[in-house]
Amino acid sequence: MKRALGLLGLGLCVFLASCSSDQDAGRRYRAERELWQADFERRELSVRPRDVKKEQWLALASRYEGIADRHARGPGATTTSSQSRQGLQTVAARALFSAAQLYGAAGDSIQVDQIFGLMAGEFSGLPAVAGEVALAQGRIAESRGQFGQAADLYQSVVDRVQPDPEGPGAAGVVVDLPLSIARSRTRAANSTPAAGGRSYYDAARGWYESV
């Protein structure tokens, strides 16, 4: 009897695990499908962008945010397996990057800052995504003349992303960042490479010599 119950319990566990796996796969599929549909709309609008009203771009940006809300932060997202949750987070990150791009193109810097701030907290466990977010935030900070903040953000990218000159995104630009950090820290200190800023360039040279 005990053996039969044990086998029944084992079979039930296997069944439940299978159901959970199927549910996780279905949730990931729905997220991917919604993202594909939003991307398709974006491509359609981009054919003749001059004919597209600002409100349409903002509505699409909101649609991307909705995808992230439903599938990475909505009901059931936290009950998925670790691997499936990472997959959903990756989809959500792609959606939020698209939303940020559209808000940025529309001149809504407040929304861009909010999205990247949210992503910096929620996707810190995904090094590749966190690196892309920090890189984007660093470029924004540098464009605003916030050189100290830009340098700190660039440094976080260098610390967490493995350089790959042939790779896409942050991995492909990591090798350029130590010099960007040196320049930004020098500008933040209102110095020059020949004066106090030399130490920053020495640090950059040390990084290049170590890789």
Short mmCIF file of all heavy atoms in Angstrom, two decimals, residues 150-201:
data_model
loop_
_atom_site.label_atom_id
_atom_site.label_comp_id
_atom_site.label_asym_id
_atom_site.label_seq_id
_atom_site.Cartn_x
_atom_site.Cartn_y
_atom_site.Cartn_z
N ALA A 150 27.34 59.55 -15.27
CA ALA A 150 27.59 58.77 -16.48
C ALA A 150 28.76 57.81 -16.26
O ALA A 150 28.70 56.64 -16.64
CB ALA A 150 27.87 59.69 -17.65
N ALA A 151 29.82 58.31 -15.64
CA ALA A 151 30.99 57.47 -15.39
C ALA A 151 30.64 56.29 -14.49
O ALA A 151 31.09 55.15 -14.73
CB ALA A 151 32.10 58.31 -14.76
N ASP A 152 29.85 56.54 -13.45
CA ASP A 152 29.46 55.45 -12.54
C ASP A 152 28.64 54.39 -13.28
O ASP A 152 28.81 53.18 -13.06
CB ASP A 152 28.64 56.01 -11.38
CG ASP A 152 29.49 56.85 -10.43
OD1 ASP A 152 30.72 56.73 -10.46
OD2 ASP A 152 28.89 57.64 -9.66
N LEU A 153 27.74 54.83 -14.14
CA LEU A 153 26.91 53.89 -14.90
C LEU A 153 27.75 53.10 -15.89
O LEU A 153 27.57 51.88 -16.03
CB LEU A 153 25.79 54.65 -15.61
CG LEU A 153 24.69 55.18 -14.68
CD1 LEU A 153 23.88 56.28 -15.36
CD2 LEU A 153 23.77 54.04 -14.23
N TYR A 154 28.65 53.78 -16.58
CA TYR A 154 29.54 53.07 -17.50
C TYR A 154 30.39 52.04 -16.76
O TYR A 154 30.63 50.94 -17.26
CB TYR A 154 30.45 54.05 -18.23
CG TYR A 154 29.75 54.94 -19.25
CD1 TYR A 154 30.22 56.23 -19.53
CD2 TYR A 154 28.62 54.50 -19.94
CE1 TYR A 154 29.59 57.04 -20.47
CE2 TYR A 154 27.99 55.30 -20.88
CZ TYR A 154 28.48 56.57 -21.13
OH TYR A 154 27.86 57.38 -22.07
N GLN A 155 30.83 52.42 -15.56
CA GLN A 155 31.65 51.49 -14.79
C GLN A 155 30.86 50.24 -14.41
O GLN A 155 31.39 49.13 -14.42
CB GLN A 155 32.16 52.18 -13.51
CG GLN A 155 33.13 51.33 -12.70
CD GLN A 155 34.40 51.01 -13.47
OE1 GLN A 155 35.10 51.92 -13.92
NE2 GLN A 155 34.70 49.73 -13.64
N SER A 156 29.58 50.41 -14.12
CA SER A 156 28.75 49.25 -13.79
C SER A 156 28.61 48.32 -14.98
O SER A 156 28.49 47.10 -14.81
CB SER A 156 27.38 49.70 -13.28
OG SER A 156 26.58 50.23 -14.33
N VAL A 157 28.62 48.88 -16.18
CA VAL A 157 28.58 48.04 -17.38
C VAL A 157 29.87 47.25 -17.51
O VAL A 157 29.87 46.04 -17.76
CB VAL A 157 28.36 48.90 -18.64
CG1 VAL A 157 28.34 48.01 -19.89
CG2 VAL A 157 27.06 49.67 -18.54
N VAL A 158 31.00 47.93 -17.32
CA VAL A 158 32.31 47.27 -17.41
C VAL A 158 32.41 46.15 -16.38
O VAL A 158 32.97 45.07 -16.67
CB VAL A 158 33.44 48.30 -17.20
CG1 VAL A 158 34.80 47.60 -17.10
CG2 VAL A 158 33.46 49.31 -18.33
N ASP A 159 31.84 46.37 -15.20
CA ASP A 159 31.95 45.39 -14.12
C ASP A 159 31.10 44.15 -14.35
O ASP A 159 31.43 43.08 -13.84
CB ASP A 159 31.53 46.04 -12.79
CG ASP A 159 32.52 47.10 -12.32
OD1 ASP A 159 33.66 47.10 -12.81
OD2 ASP A 159 32.12 47.93 -11.47
N ARG A 160 30.02 44.27 -15.11
CA ARG A 160 29.09 43.14 -15.21
C ARG A 160 29.00 42.51 -16.60
O ARG A 160 28.46 41.41 -16.74
CB ARG A 160 27.68 43.55 -14.77
CG ARG A 160 27.06 44.65 -15.60
CD ARG A 160 25.55 44.78 -15.36
NE ARG A 160 25.12 44.82 -13.99
CZ ARG A 160 24.64 45.90 -13.37
NH1 ARG A 160 24.55 47.06 -14.00
NH2 ARG A 160 24.22 45.83 -12.13
N VAL A 161 29.50 43.16 -17.64
CA VAL A 161 29.36 42.64 -19.00
C VAL A 161 30.71 42.20 -19.55
O VAL A 161 31.67 42.97 -19.54
CB VAL A 161 28.73 43.69 -19.93
CG1 VAL A 161 28.62 43.16 -21.35
CG2 VAL A 161 27.35 44.10 -19.41
N GLN A 162 30.74 40.97 -20.04
CA GLN A 162 31.96 40.44 -20.65
C GLN A 162 32.15 41.07 -22.03
O GLN A 162 31.25 41.03 -22.85
CB GLN A 162 31.87 38.92 -20.80
CG GLN A 162 33.14 38.23 -21.26
CD GLN A 162 34.23 38.25 -20.22
OE1 GLN A 162 33.95 38.38 -19.02
NE2 GLN A 162 35.47 38.12 -20.65
N PRO A 163 33.32 41.68 -22.28
CA PRO A 163 33.51 42.34 -23.58
C PRO A 163 33.53 41.36 -24.75
O PRO A 163 34.10 40.27 -24.65
CB PRO A 163 34.87 43.04 -23.42
CG PRO A 163 35.56 42.32 -22.32
CD PRO A 163 34.49 41.84 -21.39
N ASP A 164 32.87 41.75 -25.83
CA ASP A 164 32.85 40.97 -27.06
C ASP A 164 32.78 41.96 -28.22
O ASP A 164 31.69 42.38 -28.61
CB ASP A 164 31.65 40.03 -27.09
CG ASP A 164 31.58 39.21 -28.38
OD1 ASP A 164 32.54 39.29 -29.19
OD2 ASP A 164 30.58 38.49 -28.57
N PRO A 165 33.93 42.38 -28.76
CA PRO A 165 33.95 43.40 -29.81
C PRO A 165 33.06 43.09 -31.00
O PRO A 165 32.60 44.00 -31.69
CB PRO A 165 35.44 43.44 -30.22
CG PRO A 165 36.17 42.96 -29.01
CD PRO A 165 35.29 41.91 -28.41
N GLU A 166 32.80 41.80 -31.25
CA GLU A 166 31.95 41.41 -32.37
C GLU A 166 30.50 41.25 -31.96
O GLU A 166 29.64 40.98 -32.80
CB GLU A 166 32.46 40.09 -32.98
CG GLU A 166 33.91 40.14 -33.45
CD GLU A 166 34.12 41.18 -34.54
OE1 GLU A 166 33.22 41.35 -35.38
OE2 GLU A 166 35.18 41.83 -34.54
N GLY A 167 30.22 41.39 -30.68
CA GLY A 167 28.87 41.14 -30.19
C GLY A 167 27.98 42.37 -30.28
O GLY A 167 28.45 43.49 -30.48
N PRO A 168 26.68 42.16 -30.09
CA PRO A 168 25.72 43.28 -30.15
C PRO A 168 25.61 43.98 -28.81
O PRO A 168 26.02 43.45 -27.77
CB PRO A 168 24.41 42.57 -30.50
CG PRO A 168 24.55 41.23 -29.83
CD PRO A 168 26.01 40.86 -29.92
N GLY A 169 25.04 45.15 -28.82
CA GLY A 169 24.71 45.85 -27.60
C GLY A 169 25.89 46.19 -26.72
O GLY A 169 26.99 46.49 -27.20
N ALA A 170 25.66 46.11 -25.41
CA ALA A 170 26.67 46.52 -24.44
C ALA A 170 27.97 45.72 -24.58
O ALA A 170 29.06 46.29 -24.43
CB ALA A 170 26.11 46.37 -23.03
N ALA A 171 27.86 44.43 -24.86
CA ALA A 171 29.07 43.61 -24.98
C ALA A 171 30.00 44.13 -26.07
O ALA A 171 31.23 44.03 -25.95
CB ALA A 171 28.68 42.16 -25.27
N GLY A 172 29.42 44.70 -27.11
CA GLY A 172 30.23 45.18 -28.22
C GLY A 172 30.92 46.50 -27.98
O GLY A 172 31.85 46.87 -28.70
N VAL A 173 30.46 47.25 -26.95
CA VAL A 173 31.05 48.58 -26.70
C VAL A 173 31.79 48.65 -25.38
O VAL A 173 32.34 49.71 -25.04
CB VAL A 173 29.96 49.68 -26.74
CG1 VAL A 173 29.26 49.68 -28.09
CG2 VAL A 173 28.95 49.50 -25.62
N VAL A 174 31.83 47.56 -24.63
CA VAL A 174 32.52 47.58 -23.34
C VAL A 174 33.96 48.04 -23.48
O VAL A 174 34.47 48.79 -22.64
CB VAL A 174 32.46 46.19 -22.67
CG1 VAL A 174 33.41 46.11 -21.49
CG2 VAL A 174 31.05 45.89 -22.20
N VAL A 175 34.62 47.61 -24.55
CA VAL A 175 36.04 47.95 -24.71
C VAL A 175 36.25 49.46 -24.88
O VAL A 175 37.36 49.96 -24.66
CB VAL A 175 36.66 47.20 -25.92
CG1 VAL A 175 36.71 45.71 -25.65
CG2 VAL A 175 35.88 47.49 -27.19
N ASP A 176 35.22 50.19 -25.26
CA ASP A 176 35.35 51.64 -25.41
C ASP A 176 35.05 52.39 -24.12
O ASP A 176 35.38 53.58 -23.99
CB ASP A 176 34.38 52.14 -26.50
CG ASP A 176 34.68 51.54 -27.86
OD1 ASP A 176 35.86 51.34 -28.16
OD2 ASP A 176 33.72 51.28 -28.61
N LEU A 177 34.42 51.72 -23.17
CA LEU A 177 33.92 52.42 -21.99
C LEU A 177 34.99 52.92 -21.02
O LEU A 177 34.81 53.98 -20.42
CB LEU A 177 32.90 51.55 -21.27
CG LEU A 177 31.58 51.33 -22.01
CD1 LEU A 177 30.61 50.52 -21.16
CD2 LEU A 177 30.94 52.67 -22.39
N PRO A 178 36.09 52.17 -20.79
CA PRO A 178 37.09 52.72 -19.87
C PRO A 178 37.58 54.11 -20.27
O PRO A 178 37.78 54.97 -19.40
CB PRO A 178 38.22 51.68 -19.94
CG PRO A 178 37.50 50.39 -20.20
CD PRO A 178 36.42 50.77 -21.16
N LEU A 179 37.75 54.35 -21.56
CA LEU A 179 38.14 55.69 -21.99
C LEU A 179 37.00 56.69 -21.78
O LEU A 179 37.24 57.85 -21.40
CB LEU A 179 38.56 55.68 -23.47
CG LEU A 179 39.99 55.22 -23.76
CD1 LEU A 179 40.25 55.19 -25.26
CD2 LEU A 179 41.00 56.14 -23.07
N SER A 180 35.77 56.25 -22.02
CA SER A 180 34.62 57.12 -21.76
C SER A 180 34.54 57.48 -20.29
O SER A 180 34.20 58.61 -19.91
CB SER A 180 33.33 56.44 -22.22
OG SER A 180 33.32 56.23 -23.62
N ILE A 181 34.83 56.49 -19.44
CA ILE A 181 34.82 56.72 -17.99
C ILE A 181 35.88 57.75 -17.62
O ILE A 181 35.63 58.68 -16.85
CB ILE A 181 35.06 55.40 -17.23
CG1 ILE A 181 33.86 54.46 -17.44
CG2 ILE A 181 35.29 55.66 -15.76
CD1 ILE A 181 34.12 53.04 -16.97
N ALA A 182 37.08 57.59 -18.18
CA ALA A 182 38.17 58.53 -17.88
C ALA A 182 37.80 59.95 -18.32
O ALA A 182 38.01 60.92 -17.58
CB ALA A 182 39.45 58.07 -18.56
N ARG A 183 37.24 60.07 -19.50
CA ARG A 183 36.86 61.39 -19.99
C ARG A 183 35.76 62.00 -19.13
O ARG A 183 35.80 63.19 -18.79
CB ARG A 183 36.40 61.30 -21.45
CG ARG A 183 37.53 61.12 -22.46
CD ARG A 183 37.04 61.37 -23.88
NE ARG A 183 36.06 60.36 -24.30
CZ ARG A 183 36.38 59.25 -24.95
NH1 ARG A 183 37.64 59.01 -25.27
NH2 ARG A 183 35.44 58.39 -25.31
N SER A 184 34.77 61.17 -18.78
CA SER A 184 33.65 61.68 -17.98
C SER A 184 34.11 62.10 -16.59
O SER A 184 33.70 63.16 -16.07
CB SER A 184 32.55 60.62 -17.88
OG SER A 184 31.96 60.39 -19.14
N ARG A 185 34.96 61.31 -15.96
CA ARG A 185 35.42 61.66 -14.62
C ARG A 185 36.31 62.91 -14.67
O ARG A 185 36.27 63.75 -13.75
CB ARG A 185 36.19 60.50 -13.99
CG ARG A 185 35.32 59.28 -13.69
CD ARG A 185 35.87 58.43 -12.57
NE ARG A 185 35.11 57.20 -12.41
CZ ARG A 185 33.91 57.10 -11.83
NH1 ARG A 185 33.32 58.20 -11.38
NH2 ARG A 185 33.32 55.94 -11.70
N THR A 186 37.08 63.03 -15.73
CA THR A 186 37.91 64.22 -15.88
C THR A 186 37.04 65.46 -16.04
O THR A 186 37.29 66.50 -15.43
CB THR A 186 38.85 64.07 -17.10
OG1 THR A 186 39.70 62.94 -16.91
CG2 THR A 186 39.71 65.31 -17.29
N ARG A 187 35.99 65.36 -16.84
CA ARG A 187 35.10 66.50 -17.04
C ARG A 187 34.31 66.81 -15.78
O ARG A 187 34.04 67.97 -15.47
CB ARG A 187 34.16 66.22 -18.21
CG ARG A 187 34.87 66.05 -19.55
CD ARG A 187 33.91 65.89 -20.69
NE ARG A 187 33.19 67.13 -20.99
CZ ARG A 187 32.33 67.26 -21.99
NH1 ARG A 187 32.08 66.22 -22.80
NH2 ARG A 187 31.71 68.41 -22.20
N ALA A 188 33.92 65.77 -15.05
CA ALA A 188 33.19 65.98 -13.80
C ALA A 188 34.05 66.73 -12.78
O ALA A 188 33.54 67.51 -11.97
CB ALA A 188 32.72 64.65 -13.22
N ALA A 189 35.36 66.50 -12.84
CA ALA A 189 36.28 67.14 -11.90
C ALA A 189 36.80 68.47 -12.45
O ALA A 189 37.65 69.10 -11.80
CB ALA A 189 37.46 66.21 -11.62
N ASN A 190 36.29 68.86 -13.62
CA ASN A 190 36.75 70.10 -14.26
C ASN A 190 38.27 70.11 -14.37
O ASN A 190 38.94 71.12 -14.09
CB ASN A 190 36.28 71.33 -13.48
CG ASN A 190 34.79 71.51 -13.55
OD1 ASN A 190 34.19 71.35 -14.60
ND2 ASN A 190 34.16 71.80 -12.41
N SER A 191 38.82 68.96 -14.76
CA SER A 191 40.26 68.82 -14.85
C SER A 191 40.66 68.57 -16.29
O SER A 191 39.86 68.69 -17.23
CB SER A 191 40.72 67.66 -13.95
OG SER A 191 42.12 67.56 -13.94
N THR A 192 41.93 68.21 -16.49
CA THR A 192 42.45 67.86 -17.81
C THR A 192 43.28 66.60 -17.66
O THR A 192 43.75 66.29 -16.55
CB THR A 192 43.33 68.98 -18.38
OG1 THR A 192 44.50 69.13 -17.55
CG2 THR A 192 42.57 70.29 -18.45
N PRO A 193 43.49 65.85 -18.76
CA PRO A 193 44.33 64.65 -18.65
C PRO A 193 45.72 64.93 -18.12
O PRO A 193 46.32 64.09 -17.45
CB PRO A 193 44.37 64.14 -20.10
CG PRO A 193 43.12 64.66 -20.71
CD PRO A 193 42.91 66.01 -20.09
N ALA A 194 46.24 66.13 -18.38
CA ALA A 194 47.60 66.46 -17.95
C ALA A 194 47.65 66.82 -16.47
O ALA A 194 48.71 66.78 -15.85
CB ALA A 194 48.14 67.62 -18.78
N ALA A 195 46.49 67.18 -15.90
CA ALA A 195 46.45 67.56 -14.49
C ALA A 195 45.87 66.42 -13.67
O ALA A 195 46.31 65.30 -13.76
CB ALA A 195 45.61 68.84 -14.34
N GLY A 196 44.86 66.72 -12.87
CA GLY A 196 44.30 65.71 -11.98
C GLY A 196 43.64 64.56 -12.70
O GLY A 196 43.45 63.49 -12.13
N GLY A 197 43.26 64.77 -13.96
CA GLY A 197 42.57 63.71 -14.68
C GLY A 197 43.46 62.58 -15.13
O GLY A 197 42.97 61.56 -15.62
N ARG A 198 44.75 62.72 -14.93
CA ARG A 198 45.66 61.67 -15.40
C ARG A 198 45.39 60.34 -14.72
O ARG A 198 45.52 59.28 -15.35
CB ARG A 198 47.11 62.10 -15.15
CG ARG A 198 48.13 61.08 -15.62
CD ARG A 198 49.54 61.61 -15.54
NE ARG A 198 50.50 60.62 -16.01
CZ ARG A 198 51.80 60.84 -16.10
NH1 ARG A 198 52.30 62.03 -15.77
NH2 ARG A 198 52.60 59.90 -16.52
N SER A 199 45.02 60.38 -13.46
CA SER A 199 44.78 59.13 -12.73
C SER A 199 43.63 58.33 -13.35
O SER A 199 43.65 57.10 -13.34
CB SER A 199 44.47 59.42 -11.26
OG SER A 199 43.29 60.21 -11.14
N TYR A 200 42.66 59.04 -13.90
CA TYR A 200 41.53 58.35 -14.53
C TYR A 200 41.98 57.62 -15.79
O TYR A 200 41.53 56.51 -16.08
CB TYR A 200 40.43 59.36 -14.87
CG TYR A 200 39.93 60.14 -13.68
CD1 TYR A 200 39.80 61.52 -13.74
CD2 TYR A 200 39.59 59.50 -12.49
CE1 TYR A 200 39.33 62.26 -12.64
CE2 TYR A 200 39.14 60.21 -11.39
CZ TYR A 200 39.01 61.59 -11.47
OH TYR A 200 38.56 62.30 -10.39
N TYR A 201 42.86 58.24 -16.54
CA TYR A 201 43.38 57.60 -17.75
C TYR A 201 44.33 56.46 -17.41
O TYR A 201 44.42 55.47 -18.13
CB TYR A 201 44.05 58.64 -18.65
CG TYR A 201 43.05 59.52 -19.37
CD1 TYR A 201 42.56 60.68 -18.78
CD2 TYR A 201 42.54 59.16 -20.61
CE1 TYR A 201 41.62 61.48 -19.41
CE2 TYR A 201 41.60 59.95 -21.26
CZ TYR A 201 41.14 61.10 -20.65
OH TYR A 201 40.19 61.89 -21.28
#
